Amino acid sequence: MSILEDARALAESGPVCDACLGRAFAERSFGLTNAERGKSLRVAAALDDDEPYEAVDTEDCWVCEGACAEFDDWAERCAEAIEDVEVETYQVGTRAPPLVEENELLLREGAGLPEDAGELFKSEFNREVGKRVGRLTGTEVDFTRPDVQFLLDIEADTVEAQLNSAFVYGRYRKLARDIPQTEWPCRECDGSGYKGKEPCDYCGGSGYLYEDSVEGFVAPVVTDVMDGVDAKFHGAGREDVDALMLGTGRPFVVEIMEPRRRTIDVEQLEGDINAMADGEIEVEGLRLATYDMVERVKKLDASKEYRAAVEFDDDVTDGELQAALDELTGATIEQYTPHRVDHRRASITRTRHVYDATGDLEDARHATVEIHGEGGLYIKELISGDEGRTNPSLAGILDTGAVVTALDVIAVEGEDEPFEDDEFFKD
């Protein structure tokens, strides 16, 4: 059959609007709306048959039941849903009424066309409403991860506007010990602050094992500035609670859920966070980031540099220390899950590499050592040996007990490339 014969067969099923008629031929030609295709076919058929042209009111269409006349109304409702929200990109999704989907199948079946001929009703609805939303709001469509996703439920007559998260990248320095990276709920009261009806003795009723955290200093400020409802803190690994994080700091991303503001002054934000932290932590290099930066921060292979104050059980000479550090430089280390983390880590042997090991003896029982190693290398155990679970170790090579009395992380950098790649930023 010719395209005009197919169009006639569709039109003979009853009043079919131009959009529903043209939708069956959506793959034919370009630069036309389905309504324009449908009207053109109706006009061409009338000319070919030398019959009067008869238009069909969209409201009378038995297929879409008039829905294709409502593109403007739905777009205006979408715009109203975000009139007080700052977004740059959007996407529209449509939940089509089951009856309309069934009518589409019946329309094509009755005309002898494949059930997947053209495109679906919801696809046209997404596109036509989407175009209008873009014009009304001055935003651009994004089919990957837009700032806002609209869900139009035609049957329920509702518009749902889902605001996707915004992301702020930066680096933090932790300048005081006994501050965890993220909030640490009390294990005795599960973060409630109560045991039964009484305040929890273990956490003093706070619900947390530590009063402050890097997350606690950073996330609430970003949430407030971006007018979000909640936040998640994502770090490129984490240092021990009793360790400092110095140097250029540790990369992190704060994810803000349902933000109503996305364009912010990151320099002002940086200053606000640092003022609130009052010397406990510092952040720098804040930038608006993409969703993909979360995975980059969490999964990019990174090396770490540490400075450790070490105490020995027996006297050690400078020559012995230097020889031991030379032996560790370039060594492959096998570490069975350390005692101190075996309650939260799988019991396996991990292989890690030491890139460089240097140090200075302060006296016969004390030294400061610096270790540059592969990410995931447990430094305290590299020093102590962890009762033989780490091999080789500084203690094992020196054949004396050794313990880290203070630990500082002084660098966290990508193994093969920097964390800061412009591809992952929005500014």
Side-chain angles (χ1 to χ4, degrees):
M1 295 177 68
S2 69
I3 187 172
L4 286 182
E5 290 173 327
D6 289 337
R8 291 188 186 98
L10 292 169
E12 288 172 358
S13 66
V16 179
C17 71
D18 290 339
C20 288
L21 179 62
R23 191 162 58 250
F25 308 98
E27 76 282 358
R28 304 292 290 267
S29 188
F30 296 96
L32 298 173
T33 67
N34 287 332
E36 289 169 340
R37 287 187 181 90
K39 182 175 181 179
S40 297
L41 288 169
R42 208 185 300 275
V43 169
L47 289 171
D48 190 51
D49 297 337
D50 194 20
E51 296 285 345
Y53 166 73
E54 295 183 4
V56 174
D57 289 337
T58 304
E59 291 79 1
D60 296 332
C61 178
W62 72 270
V63 181
C64 71
E65 299 188 315
C68 290
E70 300 173 352
F71 296 146
D72 289 334
D73 292 340
W74 284 98
E76 289 172 3
R77 292 172 65 179
C78 289
E80 290 172 2
I82 59 167
E83 61 182 357
D84 296 324
V85 181
E86 183 182 350
V87 297
E88 296 180 354
T89 57
Y90 71 92
Q91 184 179 351
V92 174
T94 301
R95 183 175 292 132
L99 181 59
V100 171
E101 292 181 324
E102 182 179 343
N103 288 346
E104 281 203 294
L105 292 176
L106 291 174
L107 175 67
R108 286 157 175 72
E109 182 181 284
L113 297 179
E115 65 178 33
D116 60 350
E119 69 175 340
L120 298 175
F121 165 85
K122 63 181 180 181
S123 298
E124 177 176 19
F125 222 88
N126 293 343
R127 183 179 61 259
E128 293 301 326
V129 174
K131 290 190 298 187
R132 290 161 171 81
V133 169
R135 290 196 294 266
L136 288 172
T137 61
T139 55
E140 296 183 0
V141 66
D142 181 347
F143 296 112
T144 54
R145 188 173 179 84
D147 294 340
V148 61
Q149 291 177 284
F150 297 104
L151 176 59
L152 317 180
D153 191 322
I154 309 302
E155 189 171 46
D157 193 29
T158 59
V159 173
E160 178 183 341
Q162 175 61 53
L163 295 176
N164 284 327
S165 298
F167 305 89
V168 176
Y169 170 87
R171 285 176 176 261
Y172 74 81
R173 286 185 291 273
K174 196 176 74 176
L175 308 177
R177 302 192 190 278
D178 296 324
I179 297 178
Q181 182 187 88
T182 54
E183 294 179 344
W184 199 325
C186 174
R187 61 176 177 268
E188 295 296 319
C189 65
D190 294 325
S192 70
Y194 287 87
K195 293 294 290 287
K197 295 183 178 181
E198 299 298 323
C200 175
D201 291 334
Y202 196 77
C203 66
S206 70
Y208 296 94
L209 293 183
Y210 295 89
E211 181 177 353
D212 296 319
S213 66
V214 177
E215 177 185 22
F217 284 124
V218 176
V221 182
V222 184
T223 303
D224 181 61
V225 168
M226 303 192 84
D227 197 9
V229 300
D230 202 357
K232 292 182 181 179
F233 191 94
H234 307 278
R238 62 176 67 216
E239 66 283 339
D240 291 340
V241 172
D242 59 354
L244 301 182
M245 179 66 242
L246 305 175
T248 56
R250 185 182 297 275
F252 71 89
V253 173
V254 176
E255 176 182 355
I256 303 300
M257 273 71 83
E258 299 182 38
R260 301 181 70 83
R261 293 185 59 200
R262 292 176 185 267
T263 303
I264 61 173
D265 185 335
V266 290
E267 292 184 1
Q268 179 65 48
L269 175 61
E270 189 173 298
D272 291 344
I273 293 171
N274 290 338
M276 175 169 287
D278 194 24
E280 299 285 291
I281 72 156
E282 291 177 348
V283 298
E284 66 177 12
L286 298 189
R287 298 178 68 177
L288 293 170
T290 66
Y291 166 78
D292 294 326
M293 183 54 99
V294 173
E295 183 174 12
R296 183 172 180 81
V297 160
K298 297 175 79 70
K299 294 187 176 181
L300 184 68
D301 289 337
S303 67
K304 318 287 175 63
E305 294 183 37
Y306 301 85
R307 181 171 58 233
V310 181
E311 183 176 334
F312 303 109
D313 287 351
D314 300 302
D315 289 354
V316 173
T317 68
D318 185 62
E320 290 171 334
L321 175 63
Q322 298 305 324
L325 294 173
D326 286 345
E327 188 171 336
L328 285 178
T329 296
T332 297
I333 311 298
E334 291 188 353
Q335 293 190 309
Y336 190 73
T337 303
H339 284 300
R340 65 188 174 93
V341 298
D342 61 7
H343 62 286
R344 65 177 190 271
R345 294 284 189 272
S347 296
I348 59 175
T349 297
R350 299 170 176 83
T351 300
R352 296 292 186 268
H353 299 90
V354 175
Y355 301 137
D356 193 25
T358 60
D360 295 304
L361 196 66
E362 297 174 8
D363 58 47
R365 296 289 182 98
H366 298 88
T368 298
V369 302
E370 294 191 359
I371 306 292
H372 180 202
E374 185 179 0
L377 177 66
Y378 290 105
I379 299 301
K380 291 179 179 177
E381 287 69 26
L382 179 68
I383 302 300
S384 71
D386 196 26
E387 300 178 357
R389 293 159 77 100
T390 290
N391 186 51
S393 68
L394 184 61
I397 296 171
L398 291 171
D399 194 24
T400 185
V403 63
V404 173
T405 57
L407 182 67
D408 302 334
V409 186
I410 55 179
V412 178
E413 301 296 343
E415 288 271 12
D416 302 314
E417 57 182 307
F419 284 92
E420 294 83 359
D421 184 325
D422 286 344
E423 176 185 350
F424 297 90
F425 295 112
K426 303 195 76 170
D427 51 352

